[in-house]
Amino acid sequence: MALRKLTFKSGINRDITDYAQEGGWYACNKVRFFKGFPKKIGGWTKHTVTKFNGICRSLFSFSGLLGVKYLALGTSEKVLLNGGGTSYNITPIRATAGAGGIVFAATNGSSTITATDASHGALVGDWVTFSGAVTLGGVITAAVLNKEYKIDTVPTDGTFTFTALDANGDAIAANSSDSGNGGGSSNASYQIAIGNDTNAQGVGWGAGTWNTAGATVTLPSGTTRDGGWNEPRSGAGIFNPMRLIYFTRYQDDLLFNIRYGEIYRWVWQSTPSTAAALLSASPSSGTEVPNEVTQVMIAQDNQSNIIIALGCTPYPASGTPDRDPLLIRWSDVSNPFNFTPSDLTTAGSLTVQNGSQILRGVPTTRETLIFTESSLSSLKFTGTFDVFRLDELSSNTSLIGPNAVATVDGVTYWMGLNKFYRYDGRISTLDCTVQEEVFESYNIDQADQIFAALNSEYHEVWWFYPTAGATTITHYVAYNYLENIWFYGDCDGTTEGDASFSRTAWQDTGIYAKPYGAGIDENIYQHETGNNAATDTSPHAALASFITSAQVSYDQGDRFVLMNRVLPDIDFRYSNATTDITASTGGETVTPTVNFSVIAKKFPGSASYTTNESGETLTDAVTAVNSVTIGQYTQQAHMRARGRSLGFKIESTAKNVAWELGVPRADFRTDGRRG
């Protein structure tokens, strides 16, 4: 026997077989590479005190006066600000009903309340806030009525229903005394219409003709007009996109728009109590502000405060022109709320020449990158009479979805239809070693869900994506741009209550010390914190992880290899000392360990364990798996394995475990040709 170092190339390679890439890593989950060696990723803790509503697709951190920090959330139902874990609703109001403009009716024994407002314009799922109402006479008191409700049904154009809730949020049934109508001072404030959680492709054969005038578009403000292809519909149509919200900072304030909707401004408050308002309305009173915008942003120079609207309606607004998906408009330098082009302003416009629609604009230190589905252009602030210059960088570059791009350290990375790209002044294709793993499995119908997530602490760009047939995020792939390596994994459970890693939006460190991710369970989680996977109900669920090597053989694999001992090199120094700490248990001391396995194969196509690819039980297994438990102070572990090739797996499934792999040694010797 002779000791042999178990050294492997960093990164995961799935594009060739594990035999072909001997000396590398072949599979992993919840494992990253740090300075060339694998280690378990950091855990996460729940940040939000209460859940948000809907699916969050946008996170944006910013600070304002006195250094107060906020995390803006754009969900399919609301626009929120989160400060210190507490969420504040700043969703714009689209319409109101003045005193006496709304009345209520209850039915004895039912928690369903019918509201009558002749011009409510609401849809099922929309949110409304009541005030000024008095008791209906029984258990449906003023306190029950005067709060925010989600609309359950819309029986007619002039009525809608909601479920009465008590102080604990539980349904409360009216009694025979609830015969009033809420009084003559009842008010209602209707928030802008909710959006789709996911893309709705092709809502039925014969549902509508392409680009027909009869396909009604409902704007986020609540107004409607006839629409064409690729626009959100209130009725049957070809494509109903999910809601995306784009945030940008304007001085201390927050600007945002809902994709294909209007631009809003939230004026800074240290304790948010006022909803955002249209940029075209008071207090901004913007002029000729586009009313349908793909994305709003601030010019890349970050000093002029010029507001840029991408893929928007042209000037003038009279006649309600259709949105031009390739149009770029910007506001006046001296008055950023004025979009009126004239001899007295610097407001203007340019049009992207290639592609069918602008998908995303990304500000960098040098320029603003403008992506269509098939081209990339550079928009630069010149400071001259022309204000901006637009140059095409490529007419053959794809972007899989509007959120699948990120910029860090002056370099932009993005995911295309079938490859990954990089731009640092020139466009190049990234050499991805998990390319087939990703591009042969993602769900192109839900490409809008795919998003890039920066984790600059570890020099990583992550892409979260849904696999074929999935309607939520199921997997991730990550690129370490410092070490030029790739790794990947799945998001575990995808239902509420489990230790799911399924994220729908991300915010890197910056004004916050740790990155934040939005979960499908309507919570925000702080990442790279501890070693566990917090859930909605448990702060200390186990975060399982593993990594598996490619097969290792002697010479050409013609001889068997016999192994009987391993000298581990695994560090557990960042593991927690206790598990769940509760008043009843006082904490439980744990000793962190991993499971170290040796996978011995006779042939490259050998079946695992004792079954073959057809599920048949084998009397003589052609693959043997032997495992031992390794702790911090395990000096050596005796384990016997014999095969033409050996693979190794390190796995942890317990709470509070953090591990880093170094360079283990193993005792090997050749053991003949028979077997």
Side-chain angles (χ1 to χ4, degrees), residues 12-28:
I12 301 294
N13 192 333
R14 298 285 294 180
D15 285 352
I16 57 177
T17 67
D18 59 347
Y19 267 81
Q21 59 140 334
E22 183 172 353
W25 296 103
Y26 191 64
C28 73

Side-chain angles (χ1 to χ4, degrees), residues 119-185:
S119 57
H120 64 75
L123 303 173
V124 172
D126 285 358
W127 292 86
V128 58
T129 302
F130 304 117
S131 61
V134 299
T135 179
L136 299 189
V139 296
I140 309 301
T141 63
V144 171
L145 288 174
N146 292 322
K147 54 188 172 185
E148 182 186 63
Y149 280 102
K150 190 170 187 176
I151 294 174
D152 294 331
T153 67
V154 182
T156 69
D157 290 343
T159 62
F160 61 87
T161 69
F162 62 93
T163 302
L165 304 175
D166 61 19
N168 297 320
D170 298 322
I172 180 172
N175 60 27
S176 58
S177 298
D178 287 307
S179 57
N181 65 4
S185 300

Side-chain angles (χ1 to χ4, degrees), residues 178-258:
D178 287 307
S179 57
N181 65 4
S185 300
S186 301
N187 296 272
S189 295
Y190 299 97
Q191 297 171 27
I192 57 175
I194 66 169
N196 293 329
D197 289 343
T198 61
N199 284 346
Q201 298 274 6
V203 291
W205 176 258
T209 306
W210 181 85
N211 201 28
T212 57
T216 302
V217 173
T218 300
L219 303 181
S221 61
T223 60
T224 61
R225 69 162 176 80
D226 292 340
W229 180 83
N230 198 32
E231 292 190 314
R233 308 293 174 90
S234 60
I238 296 172
F239 177 52
N240 253 334
M242 69 183 197
R243 172 183 278 186
L244 291 178
I245 297 179
Y246 295 103
F247 295 103
T248 189
R249 178 178 172 174
Y250 172 77
Q251 297 179 349
D252 287 316
D253 302 339
L254 185 69
L255 290 182
F256 63 90
N257 79 290
I258 298 171

Side-chain angles (χ1 to χ4, degrees), residues 42 85 101 130 155 266 306 327 364 393-394 408 455 597 633-634 643 674:
F130 304 117
W266 178 77
I306 297 175
L327 181 65
T364 73
L393 301 174
S394 172
V408 59
N455 192 343
S597 302
Y633 303 107
T634 302
R674 295 174 62 86

Side-chain angles (χ1 to χ4, degrees), residues 362-369 393 405-414 421-427 454 456 461 481:
V362 179
T364 73
T365 55
R366 298 178 300 270
E367 62 213 315
T368 297
L369 298 177
L393 301 174
V405 55
T407 295
V408 59
D409 297 336
V411 182
T412 302
Y413 302 90
W414 68 96
Y421 296 90
R422 163 193 172 111
Y423 175 76
D424 57 2
R426 67 183 185 91
I427 300 172
L454 285 175
S456 55
V461 185
Y481 51 85

